Amino acid sequence: MPKHSPSSLNPRAPLVLDTRDLPRRPGALRTHRRVVPAPADLGVELIGVPEGADLDLDLRLESVSEGVLVSGTVTGPVQGECGRCLRAIDYSLTVNVQELYAYENSTTDITTDEDEVGRMQDDLIDLEPALRDAVVLTLPTNPLCREDCPGLCPECGVHRDDLPADHSHQQIDPRWASLSQLNRTEE
């Protein structure tokens, strides 16, 4: 059986769950509702959950034969900027979390790879990796303020919603400039 590193989890850390009060009998269930601060770097380049923002955890911890199944929802604010026009984006996100955490020295140690299933350290569960995976995989890599965002004018940088319909930047080649004057005199 693989050896696990000694417990280095802080039971008082916001995203560490203590399962001492959960019997190791399949079917035993406990619910946890708490509000915790968001960890740093919970997002992608243009959008994410601000560090320290309140995350509302509504979780079920259920004993199964090989460990504890944690399932539930995480709700929190998301902030970022539109990938087309750079306007601010601000909304609330709710994601589902479901992860099995194997007991130490269970048969799961033999039947699975180390990174396939979460591992408990003593009676503690580190929820942060599962939470990070659930939130980050839900976020768009190219966020938009709205689906039909027209973006910015590439020439002047003004938001296209703020420009008139006939807005244009005609670049006339200097070699043809005198011909463009002919067209104007005929009008």
Side-chain angles (χ1 to χ4, degrees):
M1 276 192 228
K3 302 262 187 209
H4 296 290
S5 61
S7 179
S8 59
L9 293 177
N10 177 358
R12 293 189 176 136
L15 291 171
V16 172
L17 304 174
D18 190 344
T19 64
R20 283 182 289 192
D21 67 338
L22 181 66
R24 288 192 174 198
R25 181 179 69 246
L29 176 73
R30 297 286 185 270
T31 59
H32 284 278
R33 273 198 73 105
R34 64 167 92 160
V35 176
V36 299
D41 301 321
L42 187 56
V44 292
E45 188 175 346
L46 291 176
I47 195 163
V49 177
E51 183 176 357
D54 286 345
L55 293 177
D56 182 24
L57 306 179
D58 186 8
L59 304 172
R60 290 171 33 124
L61 280 66
E62 184 176 358
S63 286
V64 294
S65 59
E66 292 300 315
V68 175
L69 179 66
V70 177
S71 57
T73 59
V74 177
T75 304
V78 173
Q79 295 177 349
E81 57 187 25
C82 179
R84 289 186 188 157
C85 70
L86 305 178
R87 286 189 175 164
I89 297 174
D90 189 9
Y91 64 93
S92 180
L93 175 73
T94 299
V95 295
N96 293 321
V97 175
Q98 185 168 22
E99 185 81 18
L100 174 65
Y101 293 89
Y103 295 129
E104 290 179 294
N105 302 319
S106 69
T107 56
T108 307
D109 286 341
I110 299 168
T111 60
T112 62
D113 291 332
E114 181 110 11
D115 60 348
E116 268 185 90
V117 175
R119 309 287 175 176
M120 293 178 64
Q121 293 182 20
D122 294 329
D123 289 321
L124 302 176
I125 293 173
D126 184 7
L127 189 62
E128 184 173 343
L131 176 129
R132 188 173 295 282
D133 287 348
V135 171
V136 172
L137 291 174
T138 303
L139 295 173
T141 53
N142 188 21
L144 300 176
C145 58
R146 64 179 205 261
E147 282 299 316
D148 63 341
C149 175
L152 303 174
C153 173
E155 299 296 324
C156 63
V158 174
H159 196 282
R160 288 189 171 153
D161 279 343
D162 300 336
L163 295 172
D166 63 344
H167 175 76
S168 68
H169 296 274
Q170 291 185 355
Q171 301 274 338
I172 299 175
D173 187 329
R175 295 171 293 180
W176 299 97
S178 58
L179 289 177
S180 68
Q181 297 302 322
L182 289 174
N183 190 22
R184 287 187 184 173
T185 57
E186 292 175 9
E187 290 178 1

